[in-house]
């Protein structure tokens, strides 16, 4: 029996990028990532003057994520680079990632987030939770319509990142599937 998938965004949930820029949140460490390669593409667009990207990560998040009854999967613009820059700081093993291909950063005319359809396709009928800071009701409606089993979108405030309540809500969702529901 396979576990549900936990799709993880980096910027917002794990890196509270919208926190006050001069005040690193308690428990977080600063990582400086060179602005090169696919992971930094959207940041390069935002600022051509910066040479590194400041990322705040809380190493405790890795332990909390590994305790959840999910198969962890990156769902981020960092894609494979999340395994290079993010996973080691969090103490996570190398994780699979969703390759967004042509959908990467391309807005849809219907207002559904550009990640939503690729995540539903990747899940391929498996239950999932998606942790991000950019979902909307349109995304949940898309999941409800196009995904044949349980899919929950868990919004995280990008000013504060993941908190204890978020981990509890994710654990509750996985438990709600029950042992016989995990492979619906």
């Amino acid at each position: 029996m396979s576990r549900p998938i936990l799709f993880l965004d980096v910027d917002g949930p794990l890196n509270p990028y919208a926190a006050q820029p001069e005040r690193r949140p308690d428990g977080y460490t600063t990582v400086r990532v060179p602005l090169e390669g696919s992971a930094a593409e959207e940041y390069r667009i935002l600022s051509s003057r910066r040479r590194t990207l400041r990322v705040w990560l809380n190493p405790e998040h890795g332990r909390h994520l590994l305790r959840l009854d999910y198969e962890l999967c990156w769902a981020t613009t960092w894609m494979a680079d999340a395994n290079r820059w993010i996973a080691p700081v969090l103490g996570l093993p190398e994780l699979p990632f969703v390759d967004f291909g042509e959908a990467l950063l391309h807005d849809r005319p219907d207002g559904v987030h550009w990640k939503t359809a690729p995540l539903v396709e990747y899940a391929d009928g498996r239950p999932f939770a998606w942790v991000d800071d950019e979902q909307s009701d349109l995304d949940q409606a898309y999941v409800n319509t196009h995904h044949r089993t349980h899919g929950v979108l868990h919004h995280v405030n990008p000013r504060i990142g993941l908190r204890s309540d978020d981990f509890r809500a994710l654990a509750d969702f996985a438990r709600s599937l029950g042992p016989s529901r995990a492979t619906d």
Side-chain angles (χ1 to χ4, degrees), residues 22-70:
E22 68 281 352
R23 298 186 65 204
R24 181 178 65 204
D26 290 339
Y28 284 74
T29 188
T30 301
V31 177
R32 296 283 178 187
V33 178
L35 286 178
E36 57 190 42
S38 61
E41 185 60 34
E42 76 180 295
Y43 295 100
R44 191 176 310 121
I45 292 167
L46 296 174
S47 174
S48 61
R49 290 186 286 169
R50 281 194 258 168
R51 296 185 195 271
T52 63
L53 170 65
R54 182 224 50 193
V55 180
W56 286 330
L57 298 171
N58 184 335
E60 286 296 312
H61 285 163
R63 284 188 275 281
H64 292 301
L65 290 166
L66 290 171
R67 284 189 209 128
L68 295 172
D69 193 18
Y70 286 92

Side-chain angles (χ1 to χ4, degrees), residues 116-181:
T116 307
L119 295 180
V120 168
E121 182 179 335
Y122 186 97
D124 193 26
R126 287 179 59 193
F128 71 83
W130 171 23
V131 175
D132 208 309
D133 63 312
E134 295 183 345
Q135 313 113 320
S136 72
D137 291 340
L138 291 171
D139 300 300
Q140 186 66 65
Y142 183 95
V143 169
N144 293 347
T145 302
H146 295 92
H147 190 57
R148 61 182 181 264
T149 189
H150 306 282
V152 66
L153 281 55
H154 186 81
H155 185 269
V156 175
N157 183 332
R159 288 191 168 109
I160 60 174
L162 282 167
R163 299 286 179 115
S164 314
D165 289 347
D166 299 304
F167 290 108
R168 274 193 292 280
L170 293 167
D172 289 347
F173 174 71
R175 265 193 305 279
S176 77
L177 298 172
S180 64
R181 304 281 313 250

